[in-house]
Amino acid sequence: MATGRLNKICSAGADMEKNPLVSVYIPTKNRKETLGRAMRSVADQDYENIELVIVDDGSTDGTQEYVETFANDKHGSIRSIKYHKSNVSKGACLARNAAIEIATGAYVTGLDDDDFFESSRIGRFVAVANLLTDHSYLFTGYRYRTLRRGEDFFFKWISEVDEVTLLRILKRNCIGNQVFTTRERMLEIDSFDKLLPAWQDYDVWIRLIKRFGPAKRLDNYSYVVDTVSAPDRISDNQQKIRDAHQIFLKKHPEYIGKKLEAFLNATYIFYGSKSMSPMDLMSIFFKDRKYACEVVKQMARNILFR
């Protein structure tokens, strides 16, 4: 394996007590155009002490040169840019873990290379970072970019509860794909599980709650998920999701004996990967009517926007 690292200091002298360093990690592979948009959204943050960590999982499209050019420019909110490349592709899971190892910020949060931040995202997290005293991590709502009749269409989604307990998250991933927490906590739980072919983020959210307590929602939509620019997401790979489902049942025994398996099955719906039989839907309806209604709504979204 060949590796390389680019480290450019863009600004210094921040007051670390009032403005702690936040590491934003981006795993990437052959998506330099959307990666550029993701990096610019970090550079445009109104919080000015950010470390950007990019782990390249074997790109062959000139990503390294693209990042080098970006790093040569001045970016007020970014204190440093770190770039790490593997010439052998090992998957996004290991790329995320490598990024967290490389990071030096007190706090970490992720960004997919095909998504982007609203400019206030990091600042809003840091402003209430004290909530992490009683919560394992913080999360927000999302804006989704998709197509409707060939035109850009955005819709919003946010968790129905502002505090997510273990029982709640075992029913479904009501967090999304990114959170804000301490780097120390991610390392303590060994970050993302490389054996999971999908749902690695969902697994981490569960393990963080098991270890450090409930998660806390912030009422904003500062993360934009772009389902148009890079449609080849893991969450659309049915075989990977089926394999992940089986691993989940073995890894999290809470699903066994508590009649929660039906909820895990319903997660297929939320990842847009399989239809649900009327019998499955009825079994959920009798356990949790409100949740069953949400499943139906998600099924409708899948039909309209995919």
Side-chain angles (χ1 to χ4, degrees):
M1 180 182 74
T3 61
R5 184 182 296 180
L6 172 69
N7 184 34
K8 178 166 178 69
I9 303 300
C10 300
S11 65
D15 183 337
M16 292 301 294
E17 290 186 2
K18 295 182 179 179
N19 299 292
L21 182 65
V22 177
S23 296
V24 176
Y25 59 86
I26 306 177
T28 190
K29 183 181 179 182
N30 291 332
R31 288 180 177 171
K32 69 177 183 180
E33 297 304 325
T34 56
L35 173 64
R37 180 183 63 184
M39 293 191 299
R40 289 191 296 275
S41 77
V42 177
D44 290 341
Q45 292 298 296
D46 55 21
Y47 182 76
E48 297 188 346
N49 194 24
I50 298 173
E51 173 185 67
L52 179 57
V53 182
I54 300 161
V55 175
D56 186 342
D57 190 37
S59 293
T60 57
D61 66 344
T63 291
Q64 181 170 349
E65 294 76 15
Y66 192 88
V67 174
E68 288 174 348
T69 299
F70 180 86
N72 285 330
D73 296 330
K74 291 184 178 180
H75 304 287
S77 65
I78 300 178
R79 180 171 178 259
S80 66
I81 298 174
K82 293 180 178 179
Y83 175 83
H84 177 93
K85 182 176 182 179
S86 171
N87 288 332
V88 178
S89 179
K90 295 188 175 182
C93 185
L94 286 176
R96 293 186 188 98
N97 290 347
I100 293 167
E101 287 283 350
I102 294 168
T104 59
Y107 302 102
V108 294
T109 191
L111 173 60
D112 287 352
D113 61 3
D114 50 342
D115 299 335
F116 56 96
F117 288 165
E118 298 289 356
S119 61
S120 62
R121 181 171 178 81
I122 301 302
R124 290 185 176 192
F125 277 135
V126 174
V128 293
N130 61 299
L131 291 172
L132 291 173
T133 302
D134 300 311
H135 298 86
S136 56
Y137 53 87
L138 310 178
F139 67 101
T140 68
Y142 297 81
R143 286 202 305 137
Y144 285 82
R145 177 190 177 227
T146 184
L147 293 177
R148 187 175 186 179
R149 301 191 182 105
E151 300 290 335
D152 272 357
F153 179 80
F154 288 85
F155 68 89
K156 294 180 178 180
W157 177 87
I158 195 167
S159 171
E160 68 277 12
V161 294
D162 66 354
E163 185 170 273
V164 178
T165 62
L166 179 59
L167 179 59
R168 173 64 63 172
I169 199 171
L170 286 172
K171 289 184 176 181
R172 73 177 174 95
N173 181 0
C174 52
I175 303 299
N177 65 338
Q178 306 293 350
V179 305
F180 179 90
T181 190
T182 67
R183 176 176 177 268
E184 180 181 358
R185 287 179 179 178
M186 290 296 292
L187 293 176
E188 190 168 331
I189 66 164
D190 295 324
S191 299
F192 295 89
D193 186 346
K194 64 182 180 181
L195 298 179
L196 273 169
W199 297 355
Q200 299 101 332
D201 49 359
Y202 187 20
D203 171 64
V204 168
W205 311 158
I206 292 173
R207 287 188 286 122
L208 281 170
I209 288 176
K210 284 183 181 180
R211 190 67 169 269
F212 302 107
K216 181 68 174 178
R217 184 196 72 198
L218 304 189
D219 291 329
N220 67 70
Y221 300 87
S222 56
Y223 190 101
V224 181
V225 178
D226 188 347
T227 67
V228 178
S229 296
D232 54 329
R233 290 174 173 262
I234 290 176
S235 55
D236 291 329
N237 188 307
Q238 294 186 33
Q239 183 59 53
K240 288 184 176 181
I241 291 177
R242 282 194 292 268
D243 293 343
H245 172 262
Q246 294 304 309
I247 294 173
F248 247 69
L249 289 176
K250 295 177 181 178
K251 186 171 184 179
H252 298 290
E254 293 86 356
Y255 284 110
I256 301 172
K258 293 187 178 180
K259 298 182 179 180
L260 285 167
E261 186 174 352
F263 290 97
L264 183 62
N265 292 339
T267 300
Y268 286 126
I269 298 298
F270 288 91
Y271 281 87
S273 297
K274 77 182 276 286
S275 61
M276 176 169 283
S277 71
M279 188 65 69
D280 287 337
L281 187 58
M282 287 301 293
S283 69
I284 293 175
F285 181 80
F286 285 114
K287 293 181 177 70
D288 189 327
R289 294 184 182 184
K290 182 178 179 181
Y291 179 70
C293 290
E294 291 192 20
V295 170
V296 172
K297 290 179 183 177
Q298 184 63 28
M299 291 170 69
R301 287 196 187 105
N302 292 341
I303 294 170
L304 287 172
F305 304 132
R306 292 196 68 195

